Amino acid sequence: MELAHYSDYAVRLVNTEEPARNKDSLTSVDAVRALFGASVQMARRVTDTDVTRFRNVRGRLRTVFEAADGGDHVLAVDLLNSLLMEFPVSPQVSGHVPIDEHAEHGGPHWHIHLADHPSNASAGYAAIASFGLAFHLTEHGPGRLGLCQAAPCRNAYLDTSTNRSRRYCSDRCATRANVAAYRARKRLEAEESARSGRSAEAAQETRALSDR
């Protein structure tokens, strides 16, 4: 598993809450387990206590995105480092046999894998999410951590575009924002046209009065 994949853990957790809409899907053990994806073994250790712990970690991860999105990259790094210190990772070398057994080099494909945390599910998830986010930040820069600009969404996203142009968490939000901007422009054009029309009428009335 590539290390970049672990950054998705942070995004998934942060986006279980939509503060501006007062929505929170992280309300049960099953909701927490769903965050783990293929990490079934770690998910099985989730208890009712972990729900509160996950919410706490979620809030701290969101502050990292907020700081980065607001341009305070030093604060974003400091906040992330505090999470890394509190929730250290346990890296291991793992391998699997290539699908093509007749590959030129043969043997397993070795890669770094983050092992399950020995204490509890929330600590394990926090370690993986924090490390993944740190990997993405150091590879691409803190400016690549963003919050959706389509109000009131504000979901977290990782910008992997070639020109650092991403502003929305999804195509749906991008479309919604573009439609809203288009309608706003049309309203402005209509208002300006109406003002111009009223100004023209006023000018005509003034000329008519002066001709009498």
Side-chain angles (χ1 to χ4, degrees), residues 67-81:
D69 187 69
D72 195 341
H73 297 166
V74 173
L75 177 59
V77 170
D78 287 344
L79 292 169
L80 187 52
N81 276 335

Side-chain angles (χ1 to χ4, degrees), residues 65-144:
F65 278 93
E66 289 174 343
D69 187 69
D72 195 341
H73 297 166
V74 173
L75 177 59
V77 170
D78 287 344
L79 292 169
L80 187 52
N81 276 335
S82 68
L83 282 164
L84 291 169
M85 291 178 65
E86 186 173 345
F87 302 106
V89 296
S90 302
Q92 290 182 349
V93 176
S94 180
H96 61 267
V97 178
I99 296 177
D100 182 2
E101 295 182 358
H102 301 289
E104 181 180 353
H105 299 290
H109 170 66
W110 301 107
H111 59 279
I112 294 293
H113 173 78
L114 301 185
D116 290 352
H117 200 281
S119 57
N120 57 66
S122 54
Y125 194 99
I128 290 174
S130 300
F131 179 84
L133 201 56
F135 180 83
H136 186 92
L137 185 149
T138 53
E139 283 290 299
H140 305 288
R144 294 286 188 151

Side-chain angles (χ1 to χ4, degrees), residues 6-211:
Y6 290 113
S7 59
D8 292 337
Y9 279 67
V11 174
R12 286 204 300 269
L13 178 54
V14 171
N15 291 346
T16 59
E17 181 184 28
E18 297 180 73
R21 292 182 172 132
N22 293 318
K23 291 183 178 181
D24 186 348
S25 62
L26 200 62
T27 58
S28 66
V29 168
D30 287 339
V32 171
R33 285 175 177 162
L35 291 169
F36 285 91
S39 302
V40 179
Q41 183 176 354
M42 196 175 351
R44 287 174 181 165
R45 298 206 301 267
V46 176
T47 65
D48 290 330
T49 306
D50 283 306
V51 176
T52 301
R53 291 173 177 165
F54 268 75
R55 286 180 173 178
N56 177 266
V57 172
R58 177 182 65 188
R60 294 173 66 182
L61 285 171
R62 176 170 280 277
T63 61
V64 176
F65 278 93
E66 289 174 343
D69 187 69
D72 195 341
H73 297 166
V74 173
L75 177 59
V77 170
D78 287 344
L79 292 169
L80 187 52
N81 276 335
S82 68
L83 282 164
L84 291 169
M85 291 178 65
E86 186 173 345
F87 302 106
V89 296
S90 302
Q92 290 182 349
V93 176
S94 180
H96 61 267
V97 178
I99 296 177
D100 182 2
E101 295 182 358
H102 301 289
E104 181 180 353
H105 299 290
H109 170 66
W110 301 107
H111 59 279
I112 294 293
H113 173 78
L114 301 185
D116 290 352
H117 200 281
S119 57
N120 57 66
S122 54
Y125 194 99
I128 290 174
S130 300
F131 179 84
L133 201 56
F135 180 83
H136 186 92
L137 185 149
T138 53
E139 283 290 299
H140 305 288
R144 294 286 188 151
L145 277 59
L147 294 173
C148 186
Q149 299 301 302
C153 178
R154 303 299 283 168
N155 271 353
Y157 65 83
L158 300 172
D159 185 2
T160 56
S161 63
T162 56
N163 57 354
R164 298 175 179 263
S165 61
R166 186 170 179 179
R167 295 295 180 270
Y168 307 103
C169 68
S170 65
D171 290 339
R172 180 181 179 182
C173 276
T175 300
R176 183 162 55 85
N178 289 334
V179 169
Y182 173 79
R183 290 175 176 171
R185 286 196 302 271
K186 287 299 182 181
R187 283 195 301 269
L188 181 60
E189 290 173 0
E191 291 172 359
E192 290 178 347
S193 178
R195 283 196 297 269
S196 297
R198 287 193 296 270
S199 297
E201 290 176 0
Q204 288 177 353
E205 291 177 359
T206 300
R207 284 196 298 270
L209 290 173
S210 62
D211 291 339

